[in-house]
Amino acid sequence: MTDTLIATLRSITGPRHVLVGDRATRRYRKGYRYGDGEVLAVVRPGTLVEQWRALKACVEAGVIVIVQAANTGITGGSTPFGDGYDRPIVIINVMRIARVDLIRGGEQVIALPGATLDRLEKTLRAIGREPHSVIGSSCIGASVVGGVCNNSGGSLIQRGPAYTELALFAQVDADGQLRLVNHLGVDLGEDAETILSRLDAGQYTEADIAPEGNRRASDHDYHVHVRDVESETPARFNADPRKLFEASGSAGKLAVFALRLDTFAADTDTQVFYIGSNDAGELARIRRDMLSRFEHLPIAGEYLHRDGYRLTRKYGKDVFLIIKLLGTDRVPAAFAIKSWVDGITEKLGLGGAVSDRIVQFVTGLMPEHLPKRMNDYCERFEHHLMIRMGGEGIAEARAYFEDIFPSTSGDYFECTPQEGADAFLHRFAFGGAGGRYRAVHPNEVEDLLALDVALPRNETNWLPDLPPDLEAQLAYKSVCAHFFCHVLHQDYMVKKGADVDAIKARLLELLDARGAEYPAEHNVGHLYAAKPALEEFYRGLDPTNTFNPGIGKTSKKREWA
């Protein structure tokens, strides 16, 4: 059966786009931070029709299908995860299908499954508009569809989690039949291959595009929702039933072919304010004041603890420099080269972290890359908050900060354009710094324990405070946050020999006691257990458990056995 399936897949996409063997499939079956497992094959279709035919062949053969885009998820949700599967696994990687179509004068887009956020940003920049999110905090090169399927939050306060109710997707029903569902709001015909071939060719006009009606192409209410600083619930989190709808939040339990999304007018007049403080409560008061009293919401507000600042300054330097000097479009290629090198060194018995140690050595020889004023604040202050304001909000924020600073515990400065860009880029490089630290300190670190947490909107004691016995089991810890949304990313480097699972269980108990939700925006992957409502959503989308089984620590077996 497997030989026949591989032959069929090769006839659909061409032999060079069907990969078999451990080394050829490594970069697709091994996750960005977590996840790895055996696969029968990796298929790389070049059109939507090829994607449909490959999918159909896999369903008819009874194998597991993982539809994968950029493979930048950091909870292992887009790769196999260990063993325990009862069927062979085929990964369908869609990154060759990457077109973005502007519709309605650029006020909306249709994104095909391999379109990256970087490509979308550049497409929209030419017409003065922006997508839901900009350069991500965890990894670079992520796909638009992946963001929606995982309820990714992003850093832009006014826009909320990635969300749409307008999608074109395939689903396996309870009888095991594959069917195409067109809820894109575009008239493309009736049968599956006609719909997909027309979309492949861009054969539709504005007249074929229906109004949204009751369906939405973004979270229209988030800018009001996030302002409720007295609410006992978080502003956004992955299991929020408000934002689970077909493709949105589906976590790979559907095969998505296209999404229709709103775009937003770009802010042309902006200013970054850089705040340093030794009092976490001072930042909490700033957050509450700006959300509840300001007429103009910040565009973005990112937090970085001093430990995270120092960690990223050393271990995120390469990502910072690649993006600053070469641009975001070079990052996926750099990661592909790294995966290729790591595959060779693993085969030679040298392990998979040789490239990390080489890059770390080289970047250590390079000159300082961060602005002096930021580094001076790192010496003076424990807590760092970067706030980007736009338009009339700039004067509103300036008057507020001039009134409260300097204080006994904090101060601020207005960034130059370059300082502002560097501040946010440094914050975003945090996402890969923990993984690099783990890779170059294998004798100190048992594993990286990364928690993605949404705190209640009314929480004022927001910074993690760990019991001494837990602190003693950590080699290093760091925190960053989408601060105004109260979404915290907590990275814990667990000391060699410590029980990672037991430590995680203790940390989650502490979060439960605070009314926190987790994960906030990275989705459950294979690291978090899906709560009952989320598992029910997954079961409804995929009753036979054909797509991405095991997600959220659920069953990996056929029909959820």
Side-chain angles (χ1 to χ4, degrees):
M1 180 200 71
T2 56
D3 289 344
T4 301
L5 176 58
I6 290 172
T8 301
L9 295 173
R10 285 172 172 159
S11 71
I12 292 168
T13 64
R16 77 182 274 245
H17 295 299
V18 179
L19 311 177
V20 295
D22 286 350
R23 184 162 167 210
T25 60
R26 184 187 186 279
R27 65 176 284 208
Y28 303 97
R29 60 176 171 79
K30 191 173 180 66
Y32 179 75
R33 275 192 184 174
Y34 303 100
D36 195 358
E38 293 185 6
V39 298
L40 174 65
V42 174
V43 189
R44 301 177 63 246
T47 68
L48 297 175
V49 171
E50 286 184 2
Q51 181 185 343
W52 169 259
R53 291 174 179 170
L55 191 59
K56 192 173 181 182
C58 290
V59 171
E60 290 174 352
V63 301
I64 288 168
V65 177
I66 298 176
V67 181
Q68 180 192 83
N71 192 18
T72 56
I74 61 175
T75 55
S78 54
T79 64
F81 198 86
D83 51 21
Y85 298 95
D86 60 350
R87 295 149 287 168
I89 299 170
V90 172
I91 294 175
I92 299 180
N93 182 279
V94 295
M95 291 304 288
R96 294 177 62 215
I97 315 171
R99 200 178 77 239
V100 173
D101 293 347
L102 299 177
I103 62 173
R104 299 197 156 183
E107 292 186 359
Q108 289 186 333
V109 297
I110 291 176
L112 300 193
T116 63
L117 192 56
D118 180 62
R119 177 188 287 255
L120 180 57
E121 274 189 69
K122 289 175 178 174
T123 300
L124 292 173
R125 190 179 300 146
I127 59 170
R129 298 190 70 82
E130 291 180 337
H132 149 269
S133 187
V134 293
I135 183 172
S137 64
S138 302
C139 38
I140 314 301
S143 72
V144 177
V145 169
V148 171
C149 291
N150 290 298
N151 297 117
S152 297
S155 62
L156 301 181
I157 298 165
Q158 302 170 27
R159 299 177 191 174
Y163 182 75
T164 186
E165 298 169 0
L166 298 162
L168 175 64
F169 58 88
Q171 184 174 33
V172 177
D173 64 23
D175 295 324
Q177 299 300 306
L178 183 70
R179 61 191 183 95
L180 189 71
V181 179
N182 184 4
H183 288 166
L184 199 61
V186 182
D187 184 2
L188 295 164
E190 296 298 327
D191 68 281
E193 292 217 359
T194 298
I195 291 169
L196 295 171
S197 62
R198 285 188 60 189
L199 189 54
D200 266 329
Q203 290 179 352
Y204 64 93
T205 67
E206 289 289 329
D208 296 316
I209 301 171
E212 298 95 310
N214 292 328
R215 291 181 178 251
R216 295 183 171 188
S218 64
D219 185 351
H220 293 189
D221 306 319
Y222 188 77
H223 67 286
V224 176
H225 183 72
V226 73
R227 282 184 179 269
D228 186 0
V229 295
E230 303 303 331
S231 174
E232 296 180 352
T233 62
R236 55 180 174 87
F237 55 99
N238 284 130
D240 186 353
R242 296 168 52 251
K243 298 304 168 191
L244 298 177
F245 187 90
E246 295 182 343
S248 294
S250 60
K253 303 304 288 181
L254 299 171
V256 178
F257 289 83
L259 296 177
R260 179 171 159 190
L261 296 153
D262 288 334
T263 70
F264 305 85
D267 295 286
T268 55
D269 180 19
T270 65
Q271 175 62 53
V272 173
F273 297 87
Y274 198 101
I275 296 125
S277 179
N278 290 312
D279 178 8
E282 185 168 46
L283 299 192
R285 290 188 292 274
I286 291 172
R287 174 184 171 273
R288 289 179 68 87
D289 284 349
M290 296 187 78
L291 288 177
S292 62
R293 292 167 39 190
F294 271 42
E295 181 180 354
H296 304 93
L297 277 176
I299 297 168
E302 295 294 305
Y303 168 81
L304 192 58
H305 188 274
R306 177 159 56 197
D307 290 341
Y309 186 106
R310 289 171 173 167
L311 181 83
T312 309
R313 184 180 181 183
K314 183 173 182 179
Y315 296 99
K317 187 174 182 178
D318 59 315
V319 171
F320 180 100
L321 291 174
I322 288 172
I323 295 173
K324 182 172 181 177
L325 301 177
L326 302 178
T328 52
D329 51 346
R330 300 296 180 90
V331 176
F335 280 126
I337 293 170
K338 179 184 183 304
S339 179
W340 180 79
V341 171
D342 291 344
I344 293 174
T345 58
E346 281 181 347
K347 192 170 184 178
L348 294 174
L350 302 174
V354 173
S355 66
D356 289 283
R357 291 193 285 271
I358 292 172
V359 169
Q360 196 58 39
F361 175 77
V362 171
T363 55
L365 301 176
M366 301 177 77
E368 177 59 53
H369 60 295
L370 296 179
K372 183 178 184 304
R373 286 203 290 181
M374 284 172 52
N375 288 336
D376 288 346
Y377 263 45
C378 182
E379 297 305 313
R380 292 175 58 193
F381 300 115
E382 181 180 2
H383 307 290
H384 298 246
L385 179 61
M386 297 139 267
I387 299 176
R388 177 176 284 120
M389 301 296 297
E392 296 177 5
I394 297 173
E396 187 176 18
R398 181 177 291 130
Y400 174 74
F401 293 133
E402 286 176 350
D403 184 55
I404 66 171
F405 288 124
S407 67
T408 56
S409 54
D411 206 348
Y412 87 104
F413 64 86
E414 293 192 26
C415 293
T416 66
Q418 188 60 62
E419 285 175 328
D422 287 351
F424 274 86
L425 182 52
H426 180 61
R427 156 64 186 89
F428 294 145
F430 172 93
R436 172 62 55 72
Y437 185 96
R438 174 182 60 180
V440 300
H441 295 282
N443 297 324
E444 297 176 26
V445 178
E446 183 67 29
D447 204 354
L448 167 61
L449 180 52
L451 298 183
D452 169 35
V453 180
L455 296 179
R457 281 166 281 174
N458 66 348
E459 179 64 78
T460 54
N461 297 319
W462 54 275
L463 199 64
D465 184 17
L466 303 184
D469 66 310
L470 274 181
E471 287 273 7
Q473 299 181 74
L474 303 176
Y476 201 95
K477 65 176 183 177
S478 54
V479 179
C480 71
H482 304 305
F483 190 64
F484 290 84
C485 300
H486 250 16
V487 168
L488 275 65
H489 301 312
Q490 304 168 8
D491 280 7
Y492 300 107
M493 317 297 170
V494 179
K495 285 183 179 178
K496 199 71 176 177
D499 188 335
V500 178
D501 290 337
I503 292 170
K504 181 177 180 180
R506 288 275 309 279
L507 290 169
L508 295 184
E509 286 176 6
L510 293 172
L511 291 170
D512 288 337
R514 300 177 66 189
E517 291 280 354
Y518 49 83
E521 61 180 8
H522 295 160
N523 221 336
V524 289
H526 289 277
L527 301 187
Y528 298 90
K531 293 187 175 181
L534 185 59
E535 181 175 345
E536 184 180 354
F537 175 65
Y538 293 159
R539 284 174 175 263
L541 295 178
D542 184 19
T544 63
N545 210 16
T546 295
F547 293 122
N548 210 10
I551 205 79
K553 297 183 179 288
T554 59
S555 171
K556 292 181 176 179
K557 301 185 183 301
R558 190 189 307 271
E559 297 183 351
W560 302 86

